[in-house]
């Protein structure tokens, strides 16, 4: 399909590149590093080869969220956003930007978000899960009360928020002891991010701010497949759910969430997601350079879905969600 838009597509700056070491085989690190740092011929060449009209770019992970010293977290997010703005301004037809934000300081995160949207022209936000704040052993999740003003600003600016994975802290990852291959994209990323998304839904966040738009990658981090169960377990007891939110989890999942195909090029998973949330909320993405654009595009372009659905997922839904002004 021509004119595809990808929206979980990463870059790194010198200060954050080492965060991406160790997930993939050491043999491919030089190439992964080169691809993360590149905004030029190589990236554009791959986009052209596979008909990716635009990449909506975001910083690698966990980056800012793992910098427990707030002052440094602020510095790195500002620097990363400045680098991204320069690259987007150089090629505004091919790139757009998602803001990296220092959630260590909710007040500064609000200011930086406003700068990114109003001054730099960014079209959304990408945050890598919980933040470590002051204490490296801390894990502060976004449903907590100190973030309500931040979410209010996100709703007011009407920009989508991408909740991107990171690994749990080692102290919260005992279940993976002795099974390091289950960490990262194999399983731990999805588990960590799905629980974070469930926390947002159950907290009542979307009752207070019903127009928030949250994006999950990797075909919804397992949630589409489990939506029935989270709402209907032990339904014979006939008790209303005991969480602060007013409605069912699937209600929020269907009203406030969007799902990308990043790193999960599975047709059965896509069909389940289409059945659970509908085609209007699913968006094509690769997760470049952690995944290959060739894999994403060849899978997507050959799907046996209607031309209408393909256009929506490949491009139209992204154009609408991010209010992109492109032909
Ligand atoms: C990512 O998307 O950020 C990512 C990593 C590390 C491994 C795989 C992956 O940060 O998709
Ligand atoms: Zn990613």
């Amino acid at each position: 399909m021509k004119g595809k838009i990808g929206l979980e597509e990463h870059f790194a700056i010198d200060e954050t590149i080492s965060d991406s070491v160790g997930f993939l085989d050491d043999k491919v690190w030089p190439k992964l590093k080169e691809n993360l740092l590149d905004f030029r011929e190589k990236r554009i060449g791959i986009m052209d080869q596979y008909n990716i009209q635009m990449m909506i770019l975001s910083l690698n992970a966990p980056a800012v969220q793992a910098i427990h010293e707030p002052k440094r977290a602020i510095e790195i997010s500002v620097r990363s956003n400045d680098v991204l703005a320069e690259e987007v301004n150089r090629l505004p037809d091919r790139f757009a930007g998602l803001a990296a934000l220092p959630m260590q300081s909710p007040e500064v995160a609000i200011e930086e978000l406003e700068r990114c949207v109003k001054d730099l022209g960014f079209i959304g936000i990408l945050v890598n899960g919980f933040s470590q704040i002051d204490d490296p052993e801390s894990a502060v999740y976004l449903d907590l009360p100190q973030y309500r003003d931040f979410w209010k600003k996100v709703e007011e600016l009407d920009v989508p928020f991408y909740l991107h994975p990171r690994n749990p802290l080692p102290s919260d990852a005992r279940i993976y002891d002795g099974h390091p291959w289950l960490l990262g994209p194999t399983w731990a990323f999805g588990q960590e991010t799905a629980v974070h998304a469930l926390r947002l839904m159950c907290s009542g966040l979307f009752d207070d701010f019903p127009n928030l738009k949250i994006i999950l990658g990797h075909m919804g981090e397992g949630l589409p497949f489990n939506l029935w169960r989270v709402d209907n377990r032990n339904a014979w007891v006939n008790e209303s759910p005991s969480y602060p939110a007013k409605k069912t989890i699937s209600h929020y999942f269907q009203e406030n969430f969007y799902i990308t195909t990043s790193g999960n090029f599975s047709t059965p998973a896509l069909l389940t997601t289409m059945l659970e949330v509908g085609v209007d909320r699913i968006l094509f993405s690769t997760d470049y350079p952690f995944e290959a654009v060739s894999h994403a595009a060849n899978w997507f372009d050959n799907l046996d879905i209607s031309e209408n659905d393909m256009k929506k997922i490949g491009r139209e839904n992204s154009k609408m969600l991010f209010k992109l002004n492109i032909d």
Side-chain angles (χ1 to χ4, degrees), residues 8 10 164-165 218 287 290:
E8 185 185 330
H10 303 299
H164 186 274
H218 316 108
D287 206 351
F290 298 99

Side-chain angles (χ1 to χ4, degrees), residues 95-161:
F95 295 142
L98 300 181
L101 295 178
M103 304 312 292
Q104 288 80 356
S105 166
E107 295 76 28
V108 182
I110 291 172
E111 282 170 29
E112 180 61 5
L113 171 58
E114 291 210 278
R115 184 182 82 96
C116 285
V117 172
K118 294 181 178 166
D119 302 345
L120 304 183
F122 287 4
I123 56 174
I125 304 154
L126 182 140
V127 168
N128 296 307
F130 65 85
S131 292
Q132 288 150 274
I133 308 184
D134 296 320
D135 176 2
E137 275 299 303
S138 62
V140 182
Y141 287 86
L142 296 162
D143 55 285
L144 295 170
Q146 58 268 42
Y147 290 119
R148 286 302 158 114
D149 287 346
F150 168 78
W151 288 117
K152 185 166 186 245
K153 179 59 70 179
V154 176
E155 189 185 58
E156 182 191 312
L157 293 171
D158 194 24
V159 286
F161 180 100

